[in-house]
Amino acid sequence: MDAETNSLSLSDDEFAAMAKALGHPARVAIVRHLAAEGRCVCGRIVEIMPLAQSTVSQHLKVLKEAGLLLGEVEGPRICYCLDRERLARFAACAAGLDATEKP
């Protein structure tokens, strides 16, 4: 494995946790929204989702714990953004799932 491939790799546990976090349509919608917006406070996400604030907060918590989001405190609110580096590593690992390993 070369240095570039190694820097993009995730452990199986990390990859599985991220995949599990993305296993809910609301979380996929949140990730898509943050990809388009760049950064956003929870209240704004609640405005665009047909879900209660507490439900959106729980989804954000799951995404953050999986390492897909970063959160920055801005006064009484938290502003969320994607951890684009980890998301790119996840995508690279997902793309490599069909690769055949040669001895």
Side-chain angles (χ1 to χ4, degrees):
M1 189 179 293
D2 63 25
E4 182 178 325
T5 302
N6 193 30
S7 70
L8 292 176
S9 67
L10 295 169
S11 73
D12 288 347
D13 289 341
E14 288 176 299
F15 182 78
M18 293 169 91
K20 183 177 179 182
L22 289 169
H24 192 287
R27 293 186 204 130
V28 172
I30 290 169
V31 168
R32 286 185 194 277
H33 177 72
L34 288 172
E37 291 271 325
R39 46 186 279 146
C40 197
V41 295
C42 179
R44 175 67 184 124
I45 296 170
V46 170
E47 290 173 6
I48 60 122
M49 304 276 303
L51 301 170
Q53 187 274 329
S54 59
T55 303
V56 171
S57 291
Q58 183 61 33
H59 285 308
L60 289 166
K61 179 183 175 193
V62 170
L63 290 166
K64 191 166 190 271
E65 287 175 350
L68 292 163
L69 300 184
L70 301 171
E72 182 178 312
V73 177
E74 291 186 355
R77 303 179 294 184
I78 298 176
C79 189
Y80 292 95
C81 66
L82 294 176
D83 185 334
R84 293 189 183 272
E85 181 181 317
R86 282 191 50 92
L87 192 58
R89 290 169 58 201
F90 174 81
C93 288
L97 286 175
D98 68 352
T100 306
E101 216 173 283
K102 297 178 182 169

